[in-house]
Amino acid sequence: MHPEGYGGRWDEASRAKLVRINALRRRAAAPLLAFEEDCASAADARGQCAALAALFERLELPELLAARADELEREGRRQEAAEYARIWDAAVDALEQCAGVLGDMEMDAAAFSRLYLLTLSQYNVGVIPVSLDMVTAGDFDRMRRRHIKHLIILGAAEERLPAPEPEGGVFTGDERRLLAELGLALDAGEAELWREYTLIYNCVSLPGETL
């Protein structure tokens, strides 16, 4: 197909452009196709972890993230640079946790993907502000500063404070009820609610002058 779409006129420049496009397409598809094959041949969670680790290596992900962090640092965007520097550690830690906990459990790529993303969602790449003469913004659980004068809570509403219980998780509602009937009650929801109340109290008590 002509790189400019149907009706385009073929010439030397358009043919050269098509060659470059196809080369880039094959370059982008190669690691994904290899990843698909690795996932299909993996019989357990540890194999799925190895497949994902191999994809990271093929993509040269740690080098790309480090280069991006250096670029942001040169541009003076130190906060973003520090966050990029932590992404790789979070990805590897989550992968190691999945391999250690799930181990030889039989699992296809779809199930592993759900559990890996769930594990990865528990990581927070936020960092301490890189300077003191600036406005600090973040979620309630990232507010650690004391002796601040003013605090603004954005989007405060009854349906958001406390935050609603997130959907998803390892166990479904039916599985939680079954575990409770077997004598293993999971009170994570209530514990999370009290944690939310604690975070709210800690934050609204931070400012010394205005809230």
Side-chain angles (χ1 to χ4, degrees):
M1 182 177 176
H2 195 282
E4 302 297 335
Y6 290 108
R9 293 187 176 183
W10 288 102
D11 55 23
E12 187 175 341
S14 61
R15 290 188 177 89
K17 184 176 183 180
L18 183 61
V19 170
R20 291 195 301 271
I21 291 174
N22 285 331
L24 290 172
R25 179 169 55 83
R26 286 191 292 269
R27 180 181 175 186
L32 297 178
L33 291 174
F35 177 57
E36 182 181 22
E37 294 178 0
D38 291 343
C39 289
S41 62
D44 52 25
R46 188 173 289 108
Q48 299 291 348
C49 289
L52 186 57
L55 175 65
F56 290 163
E57 184 177 351
R58 292 189 192 99
L59 295 177
E60 299 180 350
L61 187 59
E63 292 82 3
L64 291 174
L65 290 173
R68 179 57 175 163
D70 291 341
E71 180 183 353
L72 292 170
E73 183 72 26
R74 290 192 299 270
E75 294 175 358
R77 299 157 66 181
R78 291 177 291 171
Q79 183 83 14
E80 295 177 53
E83 291 180 358
Y84 261 89
R86 295 187 58 182
I87 290 176
W88 173 247
D89 291 336
V92 172
D93 287 345
L95 198 60
E96 291 177 345
Q97 283 195 48
C98 287
V101 174
L102 301 175
D104 57 358
M105 181 182 299
E106 292 186 6
M107 188 170 297
D108 59 14
F112 173 76
S113 174
R114 183 175 69 87
L115 291 176
Y116 177 71
L117 291 176
L118 179 63
T119 304
L120 196 59
S121 69
Q122 306 306 308
Y123 286 82
N124 192 331
V125 297
V127 296
I128 298 173
V130 293
S131 64
L132 298 178
D133 55 342
M134 63 188 301
V135 174
T136 302
D139 298 334
F140 276 12
D141 56 356
R142 291 175 57 183
M143 300 299 293
R144 299 290 186 268
R145 294 186 60 188
R146 294 289 172 180
H147 310 297
I148 63 175
K149 294 182 178 180
H150 312 281
L151 175 67
I152 299 175
I153 300 178
L154 301 176
E158 290 185 2
E159 64 271 15
R160 297 183 179 181
L161 295 178
E165 184 177 353
E167 298 181 359
V170 176
F171 299 107
T172 64
D174 291 339
E175 290 171 338
R176 287 176 179 272
R177 284 189 290 271
L178 179 59
L179 289 172
E181 293 174 0
L182 296 175
L184 182 60
L186 300 177
D187 59 349
E190 183 177 355
E192 185 65 22
L193 178 62
W194 283 111
R195 178 178 177 274
E196 283 289 322
Y197 280 128
T198 301
L199 288 174
I200 294 172
Y201 174 80
N202 288 341
C203 284
V204 299
S205 62
L206 286 176
E209 296 185 13
T210 61
L211 171 63

